[in-house]
Amino acid sequence: MASNTKVFLIGAGPGDPGLFTLKGKECMQDAEVIIYDYLANRRLLEYANPDAELIFVGKKGFTAHVTQEEINAIIVEKAKQDGVSKVARLKGGDPFVFGRGGEEALALAAEGIAFEVVPGVTSGVAAPAYAGIPVTHRKVASSMALITGHEDPTKDESAIDWKHLAHGIDTLCFYMGIKSLHLITAKLIENGKPADTPVALVRWGTTPAQEVLVSNLGEVAEEARKVSFQAPAIIVVGNVVALREQIAWFEKDKPLLGQKIVVTRSRTQAGALSKVLEDKGAEVFEFPTIKIVDPDSFEVLDDAIADLGSYSWAIFTSVNGVEGFFSRLGLTGKDSRSLGGVKVAAIGPATADKVREYGIVADIVPGEYKAEGVLEALEGAGVKAGDKVLLARATEAREVLPEGLAAAGVEVTVASVYKTVVENENAVDDLVERLQGAMIDTITFASSSTVSNFMAILAGKVGEQEALRLMAQTTVASIGPITTDTARKLGLDVKIEAQEYTIAGLVRALVDDLRGTTL
Ligand code: SAH
């Protein structure tokens, strides 16, 4: 172990990434290992060094799928690992408030490992604040308590002094209490807290998924049951809850509140759209970008390039395919003239434009992106049995086109010219799960290439039919007619199209659609 190794127990804050501390961010930036929980906002991982090892130690719900002892062991092991000088342990809210950060600190102390604690904004204060509930108020509440709601209040020896809580403290904030809500409320009433004391449940406070239910001690359990109110939530009990009526601010000017929107990012486009959507209250899921890399082997392509004269057609299906082909051609010392006797098909106008950059005017430009349409166009252009056709495309492309050509007696050479790799596979799985669970309202596309990439990735994951089915149950929003056109050709039903072809225009169209003022 490097003698100066240090572990930072960092509070990730309650959810809103803006509530993360500057010190926490600094620690994240140069940690070699980051160990994080379910409640720590994944966005914060963007601060991590790209080479850092990221270890997830929590799963949905609060039944730890990794036990606390195992987590302690992982932290200790990582701190002792060669080459590691900084370990960031990122925990939701504040690490010492029901975060078991105390236990982790003790484990480190026992091992003689140096550590620092970086407090975070705790959800018991922040979630009420975002719900417009000040946990103290000079005239309404002079004291507050943070209480675990996880304890079974029926067990004989409760560590919670219910009598004192019911009488001596003005505002009660229960963590982890949704499952035991009826027991908690019963216990308070039994100990003399009036049944009409206001209660608020704040779920996913400070995030765009925030939900608030306001009731009173006597009725809240039943009301929560009726709407099956879920964790994670803070239960706030006390007269301060009534102030929400005047103070509620978070829901104001948030026309997209509660909307679950997918932003499909292109390589160059930063999170600009995500930011605006979030400001308007939407819950944004960013679909990861893809990278274009070399195929596993250029063998087929190289053989074809060596023998280009024997082909009667070359088919390009994408801009990337054109670029890949010509760059490989150039490497062998050849240029466009090698295609002199070869007819060229470019699928879609963007592909045709790209071929033109290399001095070639495509003989046909089938506008239809789906392989079936392309087949027809090729046949119409005179491609026939016995012809030798080179199909230059992505490794992972669909088989419909080559199979169709082969069935027509055409001799097809399928040459991989590039491969797309998804930057974050987990994020794709996550999104597919959300789409399948109908947990997405809208998918936005801000360019033609993002539509094609998105559909290629989705179809690659679940098959084309399922991809189209999933898309059909989601609202598709496009930035303008060209993107819409691409989407429609891919079989998507575009419901929302921006009138002004900018990010702001797209956001406006989403808001207008929700208000029912367009279409
Ligand atoms: N250390 C954390 C608490 C961890 S215990 C903190 O300081 O906030 C987990 C509980 O925290 C959840 O059951 C829930 O009651 C609460 N919680 C965490 N994040 C929350 C959020 N964004 N909104 C409401 N409750 C939250």
Side-chain angles (χ1 to χ4, degrees):
M1 169 169 74
S3 59
N4 58 347
T5 300
K6 212 170 216 185
V7 175
F8 292 81
L9 300 174
I10 307 170
D16 179 345
L19 297 177
F20 191 39
T21 63
L22 288 175
K23 186 160 183 185
K25 181 177 165 189
E26 254 168 46
C27 293
M28 291 273 291
Q29 280 164 340
D30 40 29
E32 292 98 355
V33 181
I34 294 171
I35 304 170
Y36 65 102
D37 276 352
Y38 168 58
L39 282 172
N41 191 329
R42 302 302 148 82
R43 285 280 173 87
L44 301 180
L45 297 177
E46 284 171 17
Y47 297 133
N49 185 308
D51 299 326
E53 181 186 1
L54 305 180
I55 304 176
F56 178 57
V57 291
K59 71 162 193 183
K60 260 191 176 154
F62 301 101
T63 40
H65 95 131
V66 187
T67 65
Q68 188 60 46
E69 288 65 35
E70 284 165 339
I71 296 175
N72 294 354
I74 292 170
I75 301 173
V76 168
E77 178 201 322
K78 287 295 161 187
K80 290 182 173 175
Q81 190 172 307
D82 277 344
V84 172
S85 63
K86 240 182 178 187
V87 175
R89 168 69 175 118
L90 193 61
K91 303 167 72 68
D94 180 274
F96 279 3
V97 178
F98 305 122
R100 304 189 73 167
E103 291 163 56
E104 291 172 12
L106 285 171
L108 290 166
E111 292 281 338
I113 297 168
F115 61 89
E116 282 187 31
V117 180
V118 183
V121 174
T122 190
S123 57
V125 175
Y130 271 54
I133 301 167
V135 286
T136 72
H137 179 279
R138 203 163 52 88
K139 291 191 178 138
V140 185
S142 312
S143 59
M144 76 164 302
L146 306 182
I147 310 141
T148 173
H150 196 46
E151 197 192 58
D152 179 354
T154 58
K155 76 177 182 195
D156 291 345
E157 291 168 47
S158 172
I160 296 172
D161 180 348
W162 290 99
K163 197 153 196 67
H164 185 202
L165 281 184
H167 293 282
I169 295 165
D170 299 322
T171 306
L172 308 176
C173 297
F174 289 91
Y175 292 65
M176 302 173 281
I178 293 302
K179 273 206 185 111
S180 332
L181 184 58
H182 56 293
L183 294 169
I184 293 170
T185 49
K187 212 73 187 163
L188 289 172
I189 293 172
E190 193 184 304
N191 282 278
K193 192 111 187 142
D196 63 357
T197 311
V199 177
L201 310 181
V202 188
R203 175 172 196 246
W204 282 125
T206 80
T207 78
Q210 174 170 309
E211 281 172 50
V212 183
L213 187 156
V214 177
S215 179
N216 61 45
L217 212 47
E219 292 163 23
V220 69
E222 178 55 17
E223 284 186 27
R225 198 195 53 80
K226 269 197 247 155
V227 298
S228 47
F229 200 94
Q230 302 284 321
I234 291 292
I235 305 165
V236 199
V237 181
N239 292 331
V240 285
V241 168
L243 297 171
R244 167 174 159 82
E245 220 168 282
Q246 295 146 72
I247 298 182
W249 57 273
F250 181 67
E251 295 89 346
K252 291 231 169 86
D253 300 321
K254 295 227 163 47
L256 296 177
L257 199 72
Q259 287 292 302
K260 299 180 173 60
I261 301 180
V262 172
V263 168
T264 49
R265 295 172 60 165
S266 73
R267 259 176 307 168
T268 46
Q269 175 193 352
L273 177 56
S274 304
K275 175 87 180 61
V276 186
L277 291 174
E278 278 173 354
D279 286 349
K280 301 234 178 272
E283 190 175 352
V284 173
F285 303 95
E286 286 187 342
F287 194 73
T289 43
I290 57 168
K291 273 190 303 207
I292 308 295
V293 298
D294 283 348
D296 296 337
S297 159
F298 275 119
E299 212 181 316
V300 178
L301 179 63
D302 288 346
D303 286 351
I305 284 176
D307 192 23
L308 270 182
S310 72
Y311 287 88
S312 41
W313 281 89
I315 306 174
F316 296 100
T317 60
S318 68
V319 168
N320 292 321
V322 175
E323 279 176 347
F325 175 85
F326 283 99
S327 103
R328 194 71 190 169
L329 188 69
L331 283 178
T332 58
K334 298 184 172 177
D335 60 29
S336 304
R337 287 170 297 176
S338 308
L339 284 171
V342 185
K343 286 191 169 173
V344 169
I347 299 176
T351 310
D353 285 348
K354 194 40 98 180
V355 190
R356 199 168 301 121
E357 281 179 26
Y358 293 94
I360 292 173
V361 179
D363 296 271
I364 58 165
V365 185
E368 178 77 60
Y369 291 71
K370 284 168 87 179
E372 294 78 356
V374 174
L375 266 176
E376 252 173 55
L378 286 170
E379 278 165 13
V383 176
K384 54 186 186 310
D387 277 353
K388 220 173 144 187
V389 168
L390 174 65
L391 178 58
R393 60 169 211 179
T395 309
E396 61 279 3
R398 295 194 306 143
E399 294 309 322
V400 180
L401 183 54
E403 278 169 6
L405 285 167
V410 174
E411 198 184 318
V412 200
T413 304
V414 180
S416 289
V417 291
Y418 70 99
K419 187 166 93 168
T420 52
V421 287
V422 177
E423 265 168 4
N424 182 350
E425 271 292 335
N426 289 342
V428 178
D429 291 340
D430 187 49
L431 186 76
V432 168
E433 212 179 292
R434 284 177 198 280
L435 282 171
Q436 287 175 334
M439 287 183 283
I440 296 294
D441 298 301
T442 307
I443 301 192
T444 60
F445 294 110
S447 74
S448 274
S449 66
T450 52
V451 187
S452 331
N453 289 342
F454 179 87
M455 287 309 287
I457 296 172
L458 194 60
K461 201 94 209 166
V462 297
E464 189 179 1
Q465 257 190 331
E466 172 70 354
L468 288 173
R469 187 189 72 82
L470 292 176
M471 294 303 283
Q473 61 182 27
T474 314
T475 301
V476 175
S478 142
I479 198 163
I482 295 176
T483 303
T484 301
D485 195 44
T486 306
R488 293 210 167 119
K489 283 183 175 143
L490 287 167
L492 305 184
D493 177 17
V494 179
K495 180 172 172 233
I496 300 173
E497 183 184 284
Q499 285 176 6
E500 184 203 310
Y501 317 146
T502 59
I503 295 287
L506 178 54
V507 174
R508 204 166 306 128
L510 288 169
V511 172
D512 286 350
D513 178 72
L514 265 186
R515 293 189 175 135
T517 52
T518 56
L519 299 176

